[in-house]
Amino acid sequence: ALRFSSTLGFELDGDTAAAVHAMHSRLSNLSGARILTELTKLISGDGVLRVLMEYSDVICSVIPELRASVGFEQHNPHHDRDVWLHTVAVVAHIPPEPVLRWAALLHDVGKPPCFSLGPDGVGHFYGHAEKSTALADGILARLRFDTAGRTRITQLIRYHDLPVAPEPKPIRRLMNKLGVDAVRQLFALHIADTCGQSAICAGRVETYRQAEQVLDALLETDACFSLRDLAVNGGDMLALGLRGRAVGAALQACLDAVMEEAVANDKTALLTYAAENLQRFANS
């Protein structure tokens, strides 16, 4: 019922809605795979905002880890909504791709157990990204989410609170760590997360838009951010006399130097750099 309401854009009749609220506990009789299918379609619908706000009891019936978020006040100037209403807003503001919608739904599931109130009355959620990642991984495993999707979702949740500077060096490192597609999705989650916060955070959206532009510019210039983009390879390191693990260490050092803009991604320049550091690589 809620999946149809979200995807087709209609509201349930009063008696039907009352029955949904009254009978939601019986959803526990369904398999995780069936719940996953219906929930994925539900949270990907255009009407997801209304459905999640009106039927949090149903959602929490199948994902009980979210129950603590409902009505949980954040006591923080950056948030003018409780954890659940913030989560709902983030889901509604992110593109309707299943991985992104699931990342948005679960990105703050670990906030309530991480809450602490400072002496100034301001709430904090230290470590909530890691806690949310662990909880999300368990939820997705229980629902039988495919391995690739589960890995990407938990990856996005783990880094959703990571500060992003719209500069080539840090974004190149992000590309190296996560891959281009994941970085684009992470920026989308950052933007949606900001849209679910109070107005004082609105300026961050422009920061993430600028970060997207830096990412595009790096790709246009064929920026080096992985070993396969490097102008030297394992054969080149072998020719210098390196063997075994020293070859991998040398290539990684070359990549780090290029990403730090200390050495150009040029074969001659990198061979010179490797030759100058040969002993260090050999001892690694």
Side-chain angles (χ1 to χ4, degrees), residues 141-275:
R142 185 175 71 235
L143 296 179
R144 306 296 178 85
F145 216 101
D146 66 275
T147 301
R150 175 177 157 195
T151 299
R152 177 59 59 85
I153 291 166
T154 53
Q155 188 180 53
L156 294 174
I157 293 172
R158 179 175 290 109
Y159 296 108
H160 84 271
D161 211 34
L162 181 74
V164 174
E167 300 168 1
K169 284 185 183 180
I171 292 178
R172 193 184 285 113
R173 287 208 165 276
L174 263 182
M175 293 161 69
N176 172 252
K177 188 179 188 69
L178 306 178
V180 175
D181 290 342
V183 173
R184 288 196 188 281
Q185 291 179 323
L186 183 62
F187 290 164
L189 182 55
H190 271 298
I191 291 170
D193 197 12
T194 302
C195 291
Q197 297 170 357
S198 61
I200 63 174
C201 301
R204 295 178 184 172
V205 171
E206 180 57 28
T207 298
Y208 302 130
R209 295 295 187 201
Q210 292 173 0
E212 290 178 326
Q213 293 171 6
V214 172
L215 173 62
D216 290 336
L218 287 171
L219 293 175
E220 286 177 5
T221 58
D222 295 321
C224 177
F225 60 90
S226 68
L227 290 176
R228 67 175 177 270
D229 301 319
L230 208 55
V232 291
N233 56 35
D236 296 317
M237 298 302 105
L238 289 170
L240 289 176
L242 295 173
R243 295 293 183 268
R245 294 182 179 180
V247 172
L251 289 174
Q252 186 59 53
C254 287
L255 177 60
D256 291 341
V258 170
M259 291 196 297
E260 289 297 322
E261 300 177 1
V263 180
N265 189 29
D266 171 80
K267 186 168 185 175
T268 300
L270 286 170
L271 287 176
T272 300
Y273 171 77

Side-chain angles (χ1 to χ4, degrees), residues 61-133:
S61 179
V62 293
I63 307 180
E65 293 90 342
L66 286 170
R67 190 169 288 126
S69 300
V70 180
F72 196 102
E73 295 297 334
Q74 305 201 58
H75 302 283
N76 191 292
H78 295 97
H79 290 279
D80 52 3
R81 300 174 174 91
D82 65 42
V83 176
W84 175 248
L85 294 182
H86 163 72
T87 297
V88 171
V90 177
V91 172
H93 278 95
I94 208 164
E97 301 169 16
V99 163
L100 290 178
R101 288 283 169 101
W102 272 103
L105 182 67
L106 302 178
H107 81 286
D108 274 351
V109 65
K111 266 193 168 181
C114 292
F115 177 74
S116 63
L117 194 65
D120 55 358
V122 175
H124 301 282
F125 299 91
Y126 300 120
H128 83 275
E130 285 300 319
K131 182 66 174 178
S132 297
T133 301

